[in-house]
Amino acid sequence: MKILNVISVFRPHGGTIAKLRTIVQHSRNEHQIYFYCYPHEYEEAKTLDGYYKEIGVQTYYGNVGRNFIKAVFEIKNIIKENKIDIVHYYFNYENLTITLLKTLCPNVKYIRSFVGYIDISPFRKQTLRLALRRTENYVYISNYIKEKYEETHQLLKKKNSTIIYNCPIYIDKGEIDVAVKDIILYVGAINEHKNVPQLIETMNIVVNEFKRDDIVLQIVGDGKDRKQVEELIAKYNLQKNVILHG
């Protein structure tokens, strides 16, 4: 099975690209990656290509910016030349491309992964629905994300879908410092699509219902939902168990 992953981020620090790197490295299928790039990112993106060459993954760098028509025809050529079976895409940015690509390459299976929820404007929701109608297969990282998107876009309830949770990273027990084994670390933005308030709700259950007051959640990051998180911490009396570092 030949799979082309289409994605508009390339820096290795984000969670989505980290998951994609793990998939392409360990999958039994043949993976290729097309990176959307803006002109000012293009050269930087190519400098990271050594990682993919080392693991034997073919990559393409589309210096297309917002010209999704150019991206469509570049991706179409990759599909035809490599006899791609599946196109897998991740973000709303790729939606317009996929909408047109489905017309040009109708025999390819298209899969959209939802890795987080972002509330967008009514106009952008309408353009998103156009792409959702054209894609039949979806992957969600949790029931929460699935419910959020199906609530916003009712048509998704009729689509093929599956939930694949983020998997833990294996760490040898010899590498764990027992002095910090009770610390949970979150690094990222504090906003709706990162679902940090739900993390505080979980800590309430862990600390107050299961009486595990030895566990501490350390949050490194900031965002528009910080006030809501602070209110939840105070509501559940978790000041000693949830630390906001900013």
Side-chain angles (χ1 to χ4, degrees):
M1 189 77 69
K2 293 185 177 181
I3 302 170
L4 178 65
N5 299 275
V6 179
I7 191 165
S8 52
V9 297
F10 63 88
R11 295 182 178 91
H13 315 298
T16 302
I17 198 69
K19 288 191 282 284
L20 177 58
R21 281 184 166 206
T22 301
I23 290 170
V24 300
Q25 184 175 4
H26 299 288
S27 175
R28 290 173 294 180
N29 298 302
E30 180 183 330
H31 283 264
Q32 300 179 27
I33 307 174
Y34 178 91
F35 292 101
Y36 277 88
C37 298
Y38 282 91
H40 66 278
E41 299 174 328
Y42 182 67
E43 293 301 327
E44 179 188 355
K46 289 169 63 178
T47 64
L48 301 172
D49 197 49
Y51 169 82
Y52 299 102
K53 286 182 178 178
E54 186 176 327
I55 62 174
V57 173
Q58 177 66 54
T59 53
Y60 307 90
Y61 297 87
N63 189 8
V64 295
R66 293 186 177 277
N67 187 350
F68 79 93
I69 297 295
K70 181 179 178 182
V72 165
F73 284 97
E74 288 185 354
I75 296 170
K76 178 185 75 71
N77 291 337
I78 294 169
I79 291 172
K80 298 293 186 182
E81 291 171 7
N82 295 277
K83 298 180 179 178
I84 297 295
D85 300 296
I86 296 173
V87 172
H88 181 201
Y89 67 109
Y90 290 84
F91 296 115
N92 292 343
Y93 186 83
E94 289 100 61
N95 282 318
L96 286 175
T97 301
I98 300 303
T99 302
L100 183 54
L101 196 61
K102 182 88 181 270
T103 302
L104 299 175
C105 303
N107 296 324
V108 174
K109 180 179 288 187
Y110 296 87
I111 301 175
R112 166 73 193 265
S113 280
F114 286 114
V115 296
Y117 180 84
I118 303 176
D119 195 21
I120 55 179
S121 68
F123 173 75
R124 292 182 66 191
K125 284 179 181 176
Q126 289 297 330
T127 59
L128 174 57
R129 287 192 184 102
L130 291 175
L132 299 181
R133 291 192 184 98
R134 304 280 284 170
T135 301
E136 295 299 323
N137 307 283
Y138 294 87
V139 176
Y140 302 91
I141 63 166
S142 68
N143 273 310
Y144 170 83
I145 295 298
K146 185 175 188 289
E147 290 169 2
K148 290 289 287 184
Y149 273 101
E150 288 184 349
E151 178 184 341
T152 306
H153 306 284
Q154 296 290 315
L155 63 91
L156 287 173
K157 294 181 178 180
K158 299 179 181 179
K159 302 288 187 175
N160 302 321
S161 68
T162 189
I163 295 172
I164 302 177
Y165 296 96
N166 286 337
C167 63
I169 298 173
Y170 174 77
I171 300 175
D172 189 281
K173 290 182 179 180
E175 300 176 7
I176 299 176
D177 184 349
V178 294
V180 296
K181 66 180 181 180
D182 57 348
I183 292 178
I184 300 170
L185 176 64
Y186 169 83
V187 181
I190 302 177
N191 51 39
E192 184 178 12
H193 71 281
K194 294 296 184 181
N195 208 13
V196 179
Q198 188 62 39
L199 192 55
I200 308 304
E201 297 283 356
T202 303
M203 282 298 293
N204 173 47
I205 296 172
V206 170
V207 174
N208 295 320
E209 294 187 22
F210 288 92
K211 307 303 179 184
R212 289 297 305 274
D213 58 1
D214 59 311
I215 296 177
V216 177
L217 170 63
Q218 306 274 359
I219 296 178
V220 180
D222 213 336
K224 66 182 183 66
D225 286 353
R226 177 172 179 139
K227 183 177 180 181
Q228 180 187 359
V229 168
E230 290 173 338
E231 290 172 350
L232 286 172
I233 292 171
K235 176 182 177 181
Y236 298 127
N237 195 27
L238 293 172
Q239 291 87 342
K240 292 182 180 180
N241 298 91
V242 180
I243 310 300
L244 294 172
H245 294 277

